[in-house]
Amino acid sequence: MTVPRAEAVVLAARHLNEPAPARSLVTACRTALDRSCSVGLALAVNAAQAQRVTLAAAGPLAAPGEALQLDLGEGPCIQALDQHPPVLVADLHHTDTARRWPVYAERALACGIQAVFAFPVLHGPPGTGRAGLILTVYRNRPGPLSDAQRDTAHTHAHAADLLLLTALASAEDDTTDA
C-alpha cells in the first residue's frame, strides 16, 4: 500500500521543530498504536554489512529489538532493507522464522518479543545495498497488525523519511552558506 504523501508531510511537519524529531515521531507512532507496541527507527546503509544505527526507540521492546538486529546482522529489518517490501512476522515462534533467523528469533523471544513488523523507506536501485529508514514495530504477543496499525506504521515511516531528508537538506544549506 502506498502511503498518502500529504498525510506523511503533515505528520513530519508536526515533529520538525521538536528538539529530537525522530524520537518525537517514534513516540507519536507508539501512541497512535495505542501503546500496545514498541517502536524503533533505524537508519540503514547496507544490508549485507548490517550497517545500521538506531535513531530512536520507544517502549520496552524497541531498544533490545533494535540492538539484536544491529549486533546479529539478521532479522526483519535486515531483510526489509535487502529486499524492500515490509517484513511482517506475526509470530516469532513459527518454524519458518526460526529457520530464516535462527539466532535472532531465539534471542528476541528471550527478550519477550513475540512479533516484529519492519517497514522500510528505501533509496536507490534494488540489489545495490540501498540506504534508507526502517521503522520497526515490536509486540509482546503474537498476531498480525490490523490494517489501521499497518497504515499508521507506513505513514510514520514515510514521515520519518521526510524528516531525515529535511535535516540533510538543512545541513547541506549550512555548509553551502559557510
Side-chain angles (χ1 to χ4, degrees):
M1 180 194 141
T2 303
V3 174
R5 197 71 172 160
E7 189 178 349
V9 170
V10 169
L11 186 57
R14 254 188 246 147
H15 298 278
L16 184 61
N17 293 320
E18 294 292 326
R23 172 80 177 153
S24 175
L25 184 74
V26 166
T27 302
C29 183
R30 183 165 186 246
T31 299
L33 294 170
D34 299 323
R35 295 194 179 275
S36 63
C37 302
S38 295
V39 179
L41 179 66
L43 175 61
V45 179
N46 186 308
Q49 297 177 4
Q51 295 174 329
R52 298 173 60 244
V53 62
T54 299
L55 299 176
L61 301 175
E66 292 291 300
L68 279 174
Q69 294 186 86
L70 185 62
D71 294 346
L72 297 172
E74 69 175 38
C77 287
I78 305 303
Q79 182 178 332
L81 176 63
D82 190 39
Q83 297 176 1
H84 187 64
V87 177
L88 310 174
V89 182
D91 189 349
L92 281 172
H93 288 101
H94 196 275
T95 309
D96 288 345
T97 304
R99 262 189 256 131
R100 196 178 334 166
W101 312 302
V103 179
Y104 173 78
E106 179 183 326
R107 292 190 184 169
L109 286 165
C111 289
I113 299 168
Q114 302 278 322
V116 185
F117 310 93
F119 298 90
V121 182
L122 304 175
H123 302 280
T128 61
R130 296 177 278 184
L133 290 170
I134 309 286
L135 185 132
T136 309
V137 176
Y138 300 92
R139 203 167 52 199
N140 66 356
R141 60 181 168 75
L145 292 175
S146 68
D147 289 344
Q149 288 172 318
R150 279 196 313 277
D151 290 347
T152 295
H154 273 289
T155 300
H156 282 79
H158 284 279
D161 188 49
L162 292 172
L163 286 174
L164 179 64
L165 292 173
T166 301
L168 292 174
S170 177
E172 217 172 78
D173 289 346
D174 290 347
T175 59
T176 304
D177 294 341

